[in-house]
Amino acid sequence: MYKLVLYYLISLVAIAVILSFTGILSFNPLGLLFSAGFLVLVCYAVNWTFARTFAVTANAESVYISALILALIITPAKTLSDLPFLFWAGVWAMAGKFIFALNGKHLFNPVAISVFLTSVFLGQSASWWIGTGPMLIPVLLGGILLIRKTDRTDMVLGFLLSAFLTIVVLSWNSGPPLSTLLTKTVLATPLLFFAFVMLTEPLTTPPTKNLQLTYGVLVGILFAPQLHIGPVYSTPELALLLGNIFSYSVSFRKRLFLKLKEKLPLGPDVYDFVFTQNKSFTYRPGQFLEWTLAHQNIDSRGNRRYFTLASSPTEPELRIGVKFNQPASSFKKSLLSLTPGAAISAANLAGDFTLPSDPNIKLVFIAGGIGITPFRSMIRYLLDTNQKRDIILLYRAKEEGDFVYKNVFEEAQNRLEMKIYYSVGRFTAERIAELVPDIQVRTFYLSGPRKMIKDFEKTLADLGVRQERIRTDFFPGF
């Protein structure tokens, strides 16, 4: 996910430079490039300094992302007198991640807090120049791709709708005609860029879809520039900072510092990593964490990954099942080389792929490959809490040796009378109809490679299963 955002921002800077060369944008293209480069250097140096001071792992991708966002919203430098603004914007963006932090996680969006502080203490504000007509198409096209990839469409649409409605209501009697108002909002404000890039920052976004939608609507209302309390008018950064407070209040924002207890081979290139916790925490079976692993020679895929917890909240340790495809990234090579006692950190608990609260709902779990991990978590939880639910598990793999956690599923067969079916290769529509005779009354949970999920969605649709009864596992970057 972070890499996609970074490429998106680089593309926007490149397009802006080209438009500046042609005169479509009024900036000096060299000034734009210099400002972007200057911000990258400042952000990198400050982040490196704070990371060493606080003894935490620095994330290079987030440094570049913050620097490029600042370059896209602060007017490019024209003279040396503009550099102090850029310098302090970069400093506060990085410092904010460490200073405005609780339980090891930053509270505010780094760019939003930076822009707010520069406005308060320097009297200089971001121009949000990215919100201009010539940049609309690249912002829109790349942004749609971004929110589809990160599954943030509902949150962004909620934000846009609430922002438009609030702006219209507050301008009803004194503003321009509705068509002019909406056109101006899209073409002359940073609304879309703000929604696609800043609103969706994962570290300050709530963990579940319902909360994300609420968050988007709240920030959308606060985004309206006509909104004010006395002489203080709303700005994009202030709207986001207030939304961040809400997000923090409803989210798990602690950083876990874990130590490897053991590494168990489960099958060809599949390992179960078991970690001890420095403190216990509450999660729901099927949720995921963002894992950060410090290592040397970090490649372009970065030092962070999302892994679903294969463990149950009833177990004392945390575990993740990991498939090692070739060629492996530097992250996975380092993970595989860990020995007992080695440290790793995890944070940003999230995910809606969890058991329904109603135990009477009949379920079908469909897993492919290492996509079995959330079901291991759920079934272990049901075993440990002695909950008998009507569940059928369809588990497919490429080879017989690829099936993992079979001991847990066999126990569920015996104790909970759960139906478990394995298949080397795909489950055909005919086979699914045979194994699930009451297919029309069941809710389906799908977890595995994206292509597999799409194939099963089509197969289930052909069998008459309504889309609202199909749930798919998702986490950023999967």
Side-chain angles (χ1 to χ4, degrees):
M1 171 187 171
Y2 295 100
K3 185 166 63 174
L4 178 60
V5 175
L6 181 59
Y7 289 164
Y8 174 53
L9 296 173
I10 291 173
S11 299
L12 291 179
V13 171
I15 291 169
V17 169
I18 294 172
L19 294 178
S20 297
F21 267 116
T22 61
I24 296 176
L25 291 179
S26 60
F27 307 126
N28 182 320
L30 296 180
L32 176 55
L33 287 172
F34 176 82
S35 295
F38 181 77
L39 283 165
V40 168
L41 289 175
V42 171
C43 289
Y44 184 88
V46 175
N47 189 76
W48 183 90
T49 301
F50 273 98
R52 293 299 182 276
T53 301
F54 288 90
V56 298
T57 303
N59 295 309
E61 290 167 324
S62 63
V63 173
Y64 302 138
I65 288 171
S66 295
L68 293 176
I69 293 175
L70 287 170
L72 289 164
I73 67 174
I74 296 177
T75 301
K78 296 179 181 178
T79 66
L80 293 178
S81 63
D82 295 325
L83 294 185
F85 180 22
L86 292 176
F87 174 79
W88 285 111
V91 169
W92 282 330
M94 296 299 99
K97 297 194 300 180
F98 300 91
I99 296 174
F100 299 101
L102 295 172
N103 299 313
K105 297 300 301 176
H106 61 262
L107 174 60
F108 298 115
N109 179 287
V111 171
I113 192 65
S114 168
V115 172
F116 175 76
L117 291 175
T118 54
S119 176
V120 171
F121 292 106
L122 297 183
Q124 293 180 279
S125 300
S127 63
W128 295 90
W129 65 264
I130 186 67
T132 186
M135 294 298 295
L136 174 63
I137 298 302
V139 167
L140 181 62
L141 294 180
I144 291 174
L145 173 63
L146 186 62
I147 63 173
R148 283 175 57 85
K149 177 69 173 177
T150 57
D151 197 28
R152 295 290 189 265
T153 303
D154 291 346
M155 181 176 72
V156 168
L157 289 178
F159 164 80
L160 294 175
L161 181 60
S162 64
F164 278 128
L165 288 176
T166 306
I167 291 170
V168 168
V169 169
L170 294 179
S171 304
W172 190 259
N173 292 323
S174 58
L178 180 60
S179 59
T180 302
L181 180 64
L182 295 180
T183 300
K184 183 179 178 181
T185 300
V186 173
L187 296 180
T189 75
L191 180 77
L192 294 177
F193 178 81
F194 179 92
F196 294 142
V197 176
M198 299 188 66
L199 181 72
T200 59
E201 193 228 354
L203 301 187
T204 51
T205 299
T208 63
K209 281 188 173 296
N210 288 337
L211 289 173
Q212 288 168 8
L213 181 58
T214 303
Y215 173 66
V217 170
L218 173 63
V219 177
I221 294 171
L222 297 172
F223 183 89
Q226 299 90 342
L227 193 67
H228 68 96
I229 299 177
V232 180
Y233 279 78
S234 180
T235 61
E237 62 270 18
L238 185 57
L240 190 57
L241 294 177
L242 293 174
N244 290 163
I245 295 174
F246 164 77
S247 180
Y248 193 95
S249 69
V250 298
S251 304
F252 174 85
R253 293 299 179 194
K254 295 180 181 179
R255 178 168 291 279
L256 304 173
F257 296 95
L258 311 172
K259 289 188 176 181
L260 181 65
K261 178 180 179 181
E262 56 184 338
K263 178 176 57 183
L264 306 171
L266 298 178
D269 299 320
V270 180
Y271 289 83
D272 193 39
F273 292 83
V274 183
F275 299 94
T276 57
Q277 308 177 55
N278 61 323
K279 60 178 71 175
S280 60
F281 78 108
T282 302
Y283 63 97
R284 296 162 64 193
Q287 291 191 294
F288 62 85
L289 286 164
E290 182 187 62
W291 301 72
T292 301
L293 178 60
H295 60 281
Q296 299 296 318
N297 302 317
I298 300 173
D299 63 18
S300 62
R301 286 179 274 184
N303 63 349
R304 293 179 283 189
R305 290 291 187 281
Y306 292 92
F307 292 119
T308 297
L309 290 165
S311 52
S312 161
T314 55
E315 296 179 293
E317 294 92 12
L318 297 181
R319 66 173 69 223
I320 54 175
V322 182
K323 173 73 172 180
F324 291 83
N325 296 313
Q326 298 302 324
S329 64
S330 64
F331 180 99
K332 285 198 172 181
K333 289 178 181 177
S334 182
L335 181 64
L336 188 58
S337 67
L338 293 182
T339 57
I344 191 171
S345 66
N348 305 323
L349 178 72
D352 291 292
F353 196 73
T354 56
L355 289 166
S357 57
D358 184 356
N360 296 314
I361 295 178
K362 295 183 176 183
L363 305 173
V364 177
F365 292 163
I366 300 180
I370 202 60
I372 194 65
T373 52
F375 300 134
R376 193 272 181 198
S377 176
M378 296 177 193
I379 293 173
R380 183 71 265 169
Y381 176 78
L382 295 176
L383 284 166
D384 292 344
T385 56
N386 199 31
Q387 292 187 46
K388 184 179 289 187
R389 297 200 185 197
D390 191 340
I391 297 175
I392 299 172
L393 170 63
L394 307 181
Y395 184 8
R396 87 174 207 185
K398 291 182 179 179
E399 299 178 5
E400 187 67 34
D402 291 335
F403 295 112
V404 298
Y405 303 124
K406 292 182 71 173
N407 59 321
V408 175
F409 306 138
E410 289 170 359
E411 184 181 352
Q413 278 183 302
N414 296 329
R415 285 182 46 202
L416 304 181
E417 299 178 2
M418 196 174 295
K419 298 180 177 66
I420 314 290
Y421 301 101
Y422 301 94
S423 175
V424 175
R426 65 188 298 268
F427 283 93
T428 64
E430 294 76 15
R431 182 60 172 159
I432 294 174
E434 176 187 347
L435 299 176
V436 190
D438 55 351
I439 193 170
Q440 301 301 327
V441 299
R442 289 187 179 266
T443 296
F444 289 77
Y445 281 53
L446 311 180
S447 178
R450 182 61 58 190
K451 185 179 183 305
M452 185 213 82
I453 288 178
K454 292 298 182 183
D455 289 344
F456 268 114
E457 285 182 317
K458 183 179 184 304
T459 298
L460 293 176
D462 292 342
L463 290 170
V465 179
R466 299 191 306 274
Q467 183 62 41
E468 60 266 26
R469 289 199 295 106
I470 300 174
R471 300 190 62 184
T472 60
D473 192 15
F474 173 86
F475 48 87
F478 182 64

